[in-house]
Amino acid sequence: MKQPVLIIASLLFLAQSASAAGIPEPRRIELLNLLKHDCGSCHGLSLKGGLGPPLTPTKLQGKPVDFLAATILYGRTGTPMPPWRPFLTNREADWLAQQIKEGVQ
Ligand code: HEC
């Protein structure tokens, strides 16, 4: 009797984790490395700022994920912020934007 409920619950769980992430674990680790080393070279190893501004949850409050993802993908003309489009998919840029908004160590 309870089985259909369980099946539906696990399907929901699977669907949710797939859409929340959509990025396989090994690629996520690569992206976090990129964030630390490549982005960190300008934004600071702990993203607290350097040549580039801090990418911390407090500083990014009020800035939509879409806006941050667009900055990551296209860079900012006239500033040292480069475009990462050649290296990242839209979904990966969204994911990175979410990570910095939530706070990554
Ligand atoms: C060569 C230096 C450099 C590198 C490397 C770099 N950035 Fe930036 N980034 C900047 C600068 C400078 C700005 C500020 C641009 C401006 O004045 O608007 C910026 C701005 C940003 C912003 C907007 C912040 C805000 O408050 O609006 C985000 C998000 C961002 N960078 C993410 C990244 C990510 C993610 C990476 C790595 C994939 C990265 N940056 C790599 C220099 C860099």
Side-chain angles (χ1 to χ4, degrees):
M1 272 304 212
K2 285 204 176 133
Q3 229 161 8
V5 175
L6 270 180
I7 290 168
I8 290 168
S10 31
L11 281 179
L12 276 178
F13 175 76
L14 281 177
Q16 207 179 30
S17 43
S19 69
I23 298 169
E25 185 67 18
R27 180 60 178 159
R28 278 195 250 171
I29 293 167
E30 272 175 22
L31 291 174
L32 290 176
N33 267 325
L34 175 97
L35 188 62
K36 190 164 184 182
H37 298 288
D38 297 67
C39 315
S41 66
C42 281
H43 292 279
L45 205 56
S46 51
L47 303 178
K48 297 215 170 82
L51 169 66
L55 301 179
T56 54
T58 327
K59 294 286 177 184
L60 298 177
Q61 224 172 26
K63 299 194 178 180
V65 168
D66 283 359
F67 166 80
L68 299 172
T71 301
I72 296 170
L73 283 176
Y74 301 105
R76 288 216 181 133
T77 321
T79 80
M81 175 61 188
W84 294 87
R85 198 158 180 69
F87 311 103
L88 302 172
T89 64
N90 290 4
R91 179 175 285 203
E92 289 170 348
D94 276 352
W95 187 77
L96 277 176
Q98 252 162 31
Q99 298 309 299
I100 55 178
K101 258 189 89 86
E102 284 165 15
V104 194
Q105 294 317 309

